[in-house]
């Protein structure tokens, strides 16, 4: 895997995070509940279900990242100028990252613990999502001062599979981008249906 500048990587992830938070507040925040709860078809998620799915991941990964960074701070970990993704970290990120044209590389079945409820509470889900993005931004700022290559974070797949903090941030950001795009498409499908009627 190629080495990248650690500070630039974290700044780019922060930029993406701020854009995702803004999109959630502006694009989803002003929508009626019915629009956010609209499912585009059988077996497809509504926009609010996409956000609830992301919240389940945030509930696991944000505290795990916080613990890893705190351990690094306590051990006087120092940032390294370069970061290199592991093969598994790069693979997870590539799997989630939407293409430049917005296409998704693959469809996946969500693990049981990350399935959204049938009709989530729109206001509560949106509020939690925005709070999680604010926490992510704070963690990315703290990560600038520690070695994101050396700090390890367990995955939700198995406590035996660990990623570096840097890979975890990359994967999590790609995963959020993937499902925000899916949520936008769910909203768009309702707007298209209304035009037809």
């Amino acid at each position: 895997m190629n080495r990248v500048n650690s500070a630039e990587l974290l700044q780019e992830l922060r930029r993406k995070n701020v854009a995702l938070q803004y999109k959630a507040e502006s694009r989803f925040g002003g929508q009626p509940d019915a629009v956010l709860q609209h499912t585009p078809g059988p077996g497809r998620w509504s926009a609010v279900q996409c956000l609830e799915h992301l919240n389940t991941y945030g509930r696991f990964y944000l505290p795990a990242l916080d613990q890893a960074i705190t351990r690094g701070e306590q051990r006087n970990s120092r940032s390294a100028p370069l970061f290199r993704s592991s093969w598994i970290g790069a693979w997870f990120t590539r799997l989630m990252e939407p293409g430049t044209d917005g296409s998704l590389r693959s469809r996946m079945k969500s693990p049981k613990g990350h399935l959204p409820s049938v009709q989530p509470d729109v206001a509560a889900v949106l509020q939690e999502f925005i709070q999680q993005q604010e926490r992510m931004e704070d963690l990315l700022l703290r990560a600038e001062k520690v070695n994101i290559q050396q700090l390890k974070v367990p995955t939700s797949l198995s406590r035996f599979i660990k990623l570096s903090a840097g890979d975890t941030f990359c994967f999590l950001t790609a995963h959020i981008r993937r499902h925000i795009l899916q949520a936008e498409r769910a909203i768009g499908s309702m707007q298209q249906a209304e035009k037809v009627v």
Side-chain angles (χ1 to χ4, degrees), residues 67-83:
Q67 288 171 4
I69 293 168
T70 299
R71 276 193 310 272
E73 290 166 341
Q74 290 168 346
R75 295 177 186 160
N76 292 317
S77 171
R78 296 285 175 246
S79 62
L82 297 175
F83 170 77

Side-chain angles (χ1 to χ4, degrees), residues 158-190:
S158 167
R159 62 188 171 100
F160 300 111
I161 302 173
K162 294 188 177 186
L163 299 176
S164 69
D167 278 333
T168 304
F169 278 124
C170 290
F171 156 75
L172 206 50
T173 301
H175 185 240
I176 294 166
R177 292 183 68 211
R178 176 187 185 91
H179 288 292
I180 289 294
L181 186 60
Q182 183 184 3
E184 287 183 304
R185 288 180 176 158
I187 290 171
S189 74
M190 182 172 190

Side-chain angles (χ1 to χ4, degrees), residues 89-130:
W91 182 74
F92 277 140
T93 300
R94 239 185 348 267
L95 199 62
M96 291 296 152
E97 188 68 48
T100 52
D101 61 351
S103 63
L104 301 178
R105 288 179 174 81
S106 58
R107 285 187 60 127
M108 290 165 236
K109 191 165 179 146
S110 187
K112 192 175 181 181
H114 295 291
L115 291 171
S117 60
V118 176
Q119 195 136 7
D121 179 308
V122 171
V125 168
L126 191 57
Q127 180 181 9
E128 182 180 1
F129 178 78
I130 291 166

